[in-house]
Amino acid sequence: MTKHGIKEKHLDANALKVIAELNANGFQAFLVGGCVRDALCGERPKDFDVATNAPLEKISKIFRRARIVGRRFPIVHVRYGRDLIEVSTFRQSMSDNVVHDQQGMILRDNAFGTLQEDAFRRDFSVNALYYDPNTNEIIDYVGGLKDIEEKRLRFIGETKVRLAEDPVRVLRALRFGEKLGFTVEKKILALVDDTAKRLDAVPPARLFDEFLKLFLNGYGEKIWRKMRDTKLAGALFPSCNPQSPLVLAAMRNTDERIKGGASITPGFLVAVLLWEDYCARKNEWQPGDEDAAFMTLKDQQSFVAVPRRFGSFAREVWMTQDRLINRSPKSIDRVSAHKRFRAGYDFLCLRAESEPELKECADWWTNYQTANPENKLEMIQTLPKDVKKKRRKKRTNKAKLPENSEQAI
Ligand code: ATP
Ligand code: MG
């Protein structure tokens, strides 16, 4: 045990109340994981995890708004006001109660244990630090404090075994490395491609949760830059060209929006990551084929499963693109009032960064939005000629397009 000053402003009053309540019922309870790690790095944590020796059923009885969740690793969600505190019972990893598959992957882990055993089943040393608010002490069984000081990301135990137990840990390694600015141990980096192949054994819905953590937390660009040079990008989004400048631009844009407090949606990144695949399918589309957008999204589901509402968002953004580019005078009002106009316009601007022929069009829409009604009319009347020509050509091709491919607007 070491005395360590964690700043009070980095702690959450509701998480401390949960600990006090568990203590009052005769149980041990500590803050653990990302919140302790981030607070020690001087950042305010975004969520709080509590570990306790209280059994799950007991925890859910102590708190009024508590619910046991998760099948593989059941924990208790305790709601306090707007906060959600994740409370878990100490577990162990060396037990007959831990079920593995043939490759060593943990399928179920319901073996409860002591505080010390709980520390050793966690992934990285820096994630296995416990904070006791009663004594203001950090409990460190695994050398995590030293690793934080030396900015090193290291697995507890043998790297190969820990990655085999749960291949998602390779994504976590990359994420924490970039988020914290820590050096990821060479042993881990050497196993990235081998582990990427094993991600196909992970439920696609869990990979979607991980996708959110990777790319919607403000470090997406850095993480994508690392990922695109490994087999990880292809393991998550096999139809995406990892070197696509559009993807990189969108990752950067998402990070900037997060920093500036603007709204973000995973649907936009889904639209970006699958864009080239969608375009290829649309170009090859033949009468009788399934809709290109539908097939693009469907084939993605067995890798990272995209919830329906985000798939629909991506599809709607795709549908805006031709409309925005064609600028048919009659439909300009309708296009600019469409619920996906803003996202479609942002998408077009990002495309224009790497497709110079779209720049004029993106700028046109930028100006159009702030123009007064008179200027708007003039802008429509003075649209470049080649746009009008393309429009005419397009109309003659229309019969060839799949029925529902343009109906969103
Ligand atoms: P963040 O909240 O920033 O994503 P975190 O470290 O808190 O980071 P969580 O997913 O909230 O990540 O998990 C909380 C803690 O649970 C981790 O710090 C770690 O100790 C443990 N943990 C989470 N996922 C795993 C895993 N796949 N293998 C082993 N331990 C894990
Ligand atoms: Mg956490």
Side-chain angles (χ1 to χ4, degrees), residues 32-35 37 46-49 86 213:
V32 66
C35 60
R37 179 198 67 215
K46 61 175 175 47
D47 55 35
F48 289 82
D49 298 292
E86 301 198 338
K213 291 186 182 179

Side-chain angles (χ1 to χ4, degrees), residues 34 37 46-47 49 75 77 86 123 127 166 168 171-176 178-179 205-221 223-224 227 236 251 254-255 258 264 266 269 304:
R37 179 198 67 215
K46 61 175 175 47
D47 55 35
D49 298 292
I75 58 166
H77 276 175
E86 301 198 338
D123 48 6
N127 281 352
D166 182 3
V168 169
L171 298 171
R172 291 173 59 86
L174 232 69
R175 173 158 68 88
F176 295 136
E178 293 311 310
K179 173 183 157 160
R206 184 177 171 211
L207 289 179
F208 181 76
D209 292 340
E210 213 49 46
F211 160 76
L212 297 181
K213 291 186 182 179
L214 284 164
F215 301 120
L216 282 100
N217 270 322
Y219 312 91
E221 185 191 355
I223 294 174
W224 182 255
M227 230 164 124
L236 298 184
M251 293 291 178
T254 303
D255 291 346
I258 292 169
I264 45 164
L269 282 185
V304 174

Side-chain angles (χ1 to χ4, degrees), residues 167 170-171 192-202 204 207 224 227-228 230-240 242 299-305:
V170 74
L171 298 171
V192 167
D193 283 344
D194 275 355
T195 312
K197 283 186 235 151
R198 293 279 299 137
L199 285 173
D200 66 353
V202 176
L207 289 179
W224 182 255
M227 230 164 124
R228 65 182 187 166
T230 69
K231 292 202 160 54
L232 288 173
L236 298 184
F237 291 92
S239 71
C240 170
D299 285 356
Q300 173 59 40
Q301 293 307 309
S302 48
F303 301 94
V304 174

